[in-house]
Amino acid sequence: MARIVGRRGGPWVLGVLGLGALVPLSVYAPLSGAFALATAAGAGALLAHRRAKVLAARCDKLSGEVDVLSQRLLRLESVTRLIAEQQVRANGAGPDAKAGADTAALAAGVEEVTAEIGLLSGIVRELAAVVAAQDGEIAGLKVVPVPPAPKPLPVAPEIVVVPRQGPPPAAPWTPRPLDVAARAVASREAAREGAILAAFDGIGLEVHLQPVVSLPQRKVISYEAVARLRVAGPGDLPSGDLLAPDAFLPILERHGRTTDLDRRMLQRTATVARHLAGRGSRAAVAYGLSPLSLFEPGFLRSLGRLVADEPELAGRLVVALPQTSWRSLDAEQAGALADLRDAIGFTLDRPVDLRLDPSALADRGVSQVKVPADMLLRPGTHQAMPDLALEDLVAALGRAGIQLVADRVERETDVPDLIDLNVPRAQGTVFAPARAVRAEVLAAPPPAPEPAPSAGDEPEPPPQRRPFRDFLRRAG
């Protein structure tokens, strides 16, 4: 079979085959592939070194042959010159006939020597070409990559230190003057914050009630107690601005006063619930706690004592907690709330999404879930929607004993849509705004507990029934 790869194609074929075997090996076993690649590199280097030695031996042999040929050429040249000199001498001393014969013989000898010299010149040219090719291959095998010369590092300019005569006197530090407008804004904010704290510590805290109605009858079911803060106006007059919780709660949180707010509001809410119970109303009163109050030591225990002292408040006082607080209760908080579930109602409000678990909320004692009307009717694109439809969610909450309350209903056109969703209760300015509780209601003292009988007093015996004949006999 004819050779198709040439005289030097064997190593290239072996290299291509080895590369084809190393690629999948390096994918499945990188360590084995690296070892095989290092072995192949060592074998290639060994073969290159051996080939370089063979080429060097051939070059040495060719150089010796060139030296022999050069010596033979020099010898032939000297012999030719001697023969030519002898012929010239012979031509000058001998007869003419002999001179012609010698001239012909000399010409024949010179022609023979010239032909041999031409042959030797061709051999020398071929040897020179072979030697040049061998030298090129040896030079290619012995080429070592020269690393690039490192770039010279920039020379830093010389720093001349001029000695000082003496340290200059240090100027006294003066605070940078603030902008006039910024100072005015800061002054107004400080004055407003001080006015809010003064109103909170004084008599500025008010309780407003907003009713929760049933749908579609719009009958009042319960109330929510909302805190309002009346800040004194010019000249410390009581007729100042009435602030909603969004306006003063951040300031109270910054000063750590939210627990004080919750304590005062719970006491007033209990007073309102007691007043409603005295009027014969079965409506409950709810209040939304701050999430920070749950972490106040003893707060939940004080709430339990408030209800324990007044058993008539059982079921009439409702505490609302945000959805984030219900999701992050620890074991102690969950246990304290579980102890209160028989005396206090619980509500979930301020939701962040509608992913509600009715059974889990019912297990914690939650009886109401307050959701803003916009979240029910106009949910945002970033809002996490429940896995169920809203109608099914309302039904699932109802089966678990939880009432859904649509909060912040401010448009009359939303009421029919809420009724279509079977929402049972609603709250908002459409039905009634929050109105202030009269001061005489809040000033009513709590009922005095009945005095316990002393140990020395004997209980009064129950009345005895006597026959009617004895009554007639005494009358006669």
Side-chain angles (χ1 to χ4, degrees):
M1 182 177 63
R3 300 179 64 181
I4 59 174
V5 294
R7 183 165 58 90
R8 298 183 180 86
W12 292 102
V13 172
L14 292 176
V16 171
L17 293 177
L19 183 62
L22 284 177
V23 168
L25 181 62
S26 61
V27 171
Y28 292 102
L31 187 61
S32 301
F35 181 74
L37 183 61
T39 304
L46 184 61
L47 291 175
H49 180 68
R50 181 179 177 183
R51 187 172 182 81
K53 288 180 65 177
V54 172
L55 292 176
R58 291 183 180 179
C59 288
D60 293 340
K61 184 177 180 181
L62 291 175
S63 299
E65 293 180 355
V66 169
D67 292 339
V68 173
L69 291 175
S70 300
Q71 293 176 3
R72 291 182 62 183
L73 286 175
L74 292 175
R75 192 179 298 112
L76 286 174
E77 185 179 359
S78 60
V79 170
T80 303
R81 187 171 55 253
L82 291 176
I83 292 173
E85 291 177 357
Q86 291 178 2
Q87 293 294 335
V88 170
R89 292 193 198 98
N91 290 335
D96 295 336
K98 188 176 181 180
D102 293 336
T103 301
L106 181 59
V110 170
E111 185 177 358
E112 182 179 358
V113 171
T114 303
E116 188 174 358
I117 290 174
L119 180 61
L120 291 175
S121 299
I123 294 173
V124 169
R125 282 195 298 271
E126 292 181 0
L127 289 175
V130 172
V131 170
Q134 298 291 342
D135 291 338
E137 292 183 4
I138 293 174
L141 291 174
K142 293 184 177 181
V143 168
V144 178
V146 180
K151 296 181 180 180
L153 297 176
V155 180
E158 184 178 359
I159 300 175
V160 179
V161 179
V162 179
R164 293 184 299 178
Q165 299 297 330
W173 179 84
T174 55
R176 185 178 60 182
L178 296 175
D179 189 10
V180 177
R183 277 190 293 176
V185 171
S187 177
R188 285 196 299 269
E189 290 295 331
R192 179 175 177 272
E193 185 172 337
I196 288 176
L197 293 176
F200 178 75
D201 293 334
I203 59 173
L205 185 62
E206 298 181 1
V207 180
H208 289 224
L209 291 183
Q210 187 173 24
V212 178
V213 302
S214 62
L215 293 180
Q217 298 86 2
R218 301 194 180 193
K219 180 182 178 181
V220 177
I221 302 297
S222 61
Y223 295 92
E224 181 183 4
V226 184
R228 294 288 188 269
L229 191 64
R230 189 174 295 278
V231 181
D236 294 336
L237 295 178
S239 58
D241 295 334
L242 188 63
L243 302 182
D246 296 339
F248 63 86
L249 269 182
I251 297 176
L252 296 182
E253 290 178 357
R254 190 160 55 248
H255 289 268
R257 307 293 299 277
T258 53
T259 305
D260 297 339
L261 172 66
D262 289 343
R263 293 182 189 275
R264 295 169 61 180
M265 284 297 299
L266 282 173
Q267 292 176 357
R268 299 186 181 191
T269 303
T271 303
V272 173
R274 191 184 311 113
H275 175 76
L276 292 176
R279 293 175 52 187
S281 174
R282 301 183 60 85
V285 184
Y287 172 69
L289 291 178
S290 171
L292 301 177
S293 297
L294 296 177
F295 298 95
E296 185 71 18
F299 177 79
L300 294 178
R301 289 194 296 271
S302 65
L303 183 60
R305 288 192 297 269
L306 174 65
V307 181
D309 295 339
E310 302 182 32
E312 66 274 8
L313 293 179
R316 298 181 180 273
L317 186 62
V318 180
V319 173
L321 292 174
Q323 185 182 31
T324 54
S325 297
W326 285 109
R327 290 179 175 177
S328 59
L329 290 177
D330 57 18
E332 183 180 358
Q333 295 170 351
L337 292 177
D339 296 338
L340 297 174
R341 59 182 299 179
D342 294 334
I344 296 178
F346 295 131
T347 299
L348 184 149
D349 65 351
R350 289 160 280 179
V352 294
D353 55 48
L354 294 178
R355 296 186 179 276
L356 303 173
D357 188 355
S359 60
L361 293 177
D363 292 340
R364 291 187 180 274
V366 177
S367 59
Q368 287 184 355
V369 172
K370 285 189 175 182
V371 180
D374 290 338
M375 185 177 290
L376 291 173
L377 302 178
R378 290 170 291 274
T381 56
H382 61 282
Q383 178 180 326
M385 296 301 294
D387 298 332
L388 302 175
L390 289 178
E391 298 87 346
D392 299 335
L393 179 62
V394 174
L397 290 173
R399 287 192 298 269
I402 301 174
Q403 297 290 329
L404 179 63
V405 181
D407 191 14
R408 304 175 192 173
V409 183
E410 300 176 354
R411 287 183 286 190
E412 187 66 35
T413 55
D414 292 342
V415 178
D417 297 334
L418 295 174
I419 295 175
D420 293 340
L421 291 175
N422 298 324
V423 176
R425 299 181 182 182
Q427 176 185 354
T429 56
V430 169
F431 309 105
R435 293 185 175 89
V437 180
R438 299 193 306 271
E440 57 268 19
V441 175
L442 298 177
E450 297 181 358
S454 61
D457 298 339
E458 296 182 358
E460 183 180 357
Q464 298 180 358
R465 296 185 62 183
R466 294 181 179 180
F468 187 67
R469 291 181 180 180
D470 294 344
F471 178 76
L472 292 177
R473 188 179 299 114
R474 288 186 179 183

